[in-house]
């Protein structure tokens, strides 16, 4: 596709359930980022993948959060045992070298 | 740790007026980005500034970068209502590293 695709666009889940968020980057983009944006806040870095290098996981807020990426394709962000404070928009971005294209995000609501 | 500060965080201005948003960052960097975000939407790339003294203009917006002062500015000329949005600057320390975002400047242009 022409842009970064994220799914689902909206997710409502019960506290304690696991959720999986998906990001399809632009073809050929070697770098992929996940950010979290709480309501009215800026963007909080979560994790960064660059090609086949070890990912930079330093932004993951707890061990309930994990992410995977297969090669230079799809990435999934998994949140286990969701808590209400996990409610936010989760944004994915991809980049060929410099310049980042963001997806439309997944709005996660934990009830 | 790289810190990025924007000011003001909230800006209300009248149509036709000029104003500047400031973005300060704490360590050396050779890449600075400006993004626009409309409510409920993802981030739209406005400018990529890659060198000291870089200046880019698009319509009523002009961005500049002073790497020695660790400062970027986003200047708005003769504001119109359509410019109402939240504007983020983001800094990348080196090629391939994460983007660190400022808190965002919420701009409202009143008729």
């Amino acid at each position: 596709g022409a842009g970064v695709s994220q799914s689902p666009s909206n997710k409502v889940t019960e506290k304690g359930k696991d959720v999986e968020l998906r990001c399809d980057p632009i073809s050929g983009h070697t770098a992929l980022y996940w950010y979290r944006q709480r309501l009215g806040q800026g963007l909080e870095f979560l994790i960064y993948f660059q090609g086949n290098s070890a990912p930079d996981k330093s932004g993951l807020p707890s061990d309930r959060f994990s992410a995977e990426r297969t090669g230079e394709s799809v990435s999934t962000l998994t949140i286990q045992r969701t808590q209400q404070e996990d409610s936010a928009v989760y944004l994915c971005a991809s980049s060929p070298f410099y310049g980042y294209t963001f997806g439309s995000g997944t709005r996660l609501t934990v009830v | 740790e790289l810190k990025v500060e924007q000011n003001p965080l909230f800006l209300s201005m009248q149509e036709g007026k000029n104003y500047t948003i400031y973005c300060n960052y704490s360590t050396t960097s050779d890449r600075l980005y400006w993004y626009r975000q409309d409510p409920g939407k993802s981030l739209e790339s406005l400018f990529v500034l890659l060198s000291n003294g870089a200046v880019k203009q698009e319509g009523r917006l002009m961005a500049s970068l002073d790497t020695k002062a660790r400062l970027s500015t986003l200047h708005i000329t003769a504001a119109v209502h359509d410019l109402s949005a939240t504007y983020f600057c983001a800094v990348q320390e080196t090629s391939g590293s994460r983007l660190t975002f400022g808190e965002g400047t919420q701009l409202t242009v009143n008729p």
Side-chain angles (χ1 to χ4, degrees):
Chain A
V4 177
S5 177
Q6 290 188 245
S7 61
S9 54
N10 281 285
K11 176 73 178 178
V12 180
T13 189
E14 291 182 351
K15 179 181 172 181
K17 300 282 190 184
D18 298 352
V19 294
E20 195 171 274
L21 313 179
R22 177 185 170 106
C23 173
D24 277 284
I26 293 172
S27 178
H29 282 197
T30 57
L32 186 148
Y33 299 77
W34 284 98
Y35 286 85
R36 176 169 71 179
Q37 186 176 31
R38 291 195 169 107
L39 187 64
Q41 304 291 313
L43 276 74
E44 175 187 5
F45 168 78
L46 296 177
I47 189 169
Y48 160 51
F49 296 90
Q50 174 63 55
N52 294 317
S53 302
D56 177 356
K57 303 180 181 181
S58 59
L60 294 178
S62 77
D63 59 9
R64 296 187 295 105
F65 287 72
S66 62
E68 292 184 349
R69 186 184 187 195
T70 306
E72 296 183 355
S73 62
V74 170
S75 176
T76 54
L77 176 68
T78 301
I79 309 172
Q80 296 178 311
R81 305 181 302 281
T82 51
Q83 303 294 313
Q84 287 187 328
E85 64 261 28
D86 299 334
S87 295
V89 175
Y90 290 81
L91 290 162
C92 173
S94 70
S95 174
F97 180 63
Y98 68 87
Y100 299 78
T101 303
F102 281 81
S104 299
T106 294
R107 183 175 300 277
L108 175 67
T109 304
V110 181
V111 297
Chain B
E1 180 185 339
L2 173 60
K3 294 193 186 302
V4 182
E5 293 184 349
Q6 286 182 238
N7 73 86
L9 299 183
F10 298 93
L11 176 56
S12 180
M13 56 191 297
Q14 286 187 312
E15 281 191 328
K17 298 292 187 182
N18 304 332
Y19 209 84
T20 300
I21 299 170
Y22 297 89
C23 174
N24 292 273
Y25 53 96
S26 61
T27 66
T28 56
S29 166
D30 58 1
R31 291 155 197 266
L32 189 136
Y33 303 79
W34 284 96
Y35 289 91
R36 168 180 172 146
Q37 187 177 38
D38 291 291
K41 304 290 187 182
S42 190
L43 277 75
E44 173 192 351
S45 179
L46 294 175
F47 301 108
V48 181
L49 302 169
L50 299 177
S51 61
N52 186 41
V55 177
K56 292 197 174 179
Q57 182 163 6
E58 180 74 32
R60 300 175 188 274
L61 300 178
M62 183 172 71
S64 67
L65 178 62
D66 181 342
T67 58
K68 293 179 181 177
R70 299 177 185 171
L71 171 68
S72 179
T73 60
L74 180 67
H75 187 73
I76 303 155
T77 301
V80 293
H81 179 68
D82 285 352
L83 291 179
S84 297
T86 299
Y87 292 85
F88 291 94
C89 66
V91 178
Q92 190 178 26
E93 278 186 77
T94 58
S95 172
S97 63
R98 69 169 80 166
L99 273 182
T100 300
F101 281 80
E103 309 97 311
T105 297
Q106 186 176 319
L107 171 66
T108 303
V109 181
N110 302 304

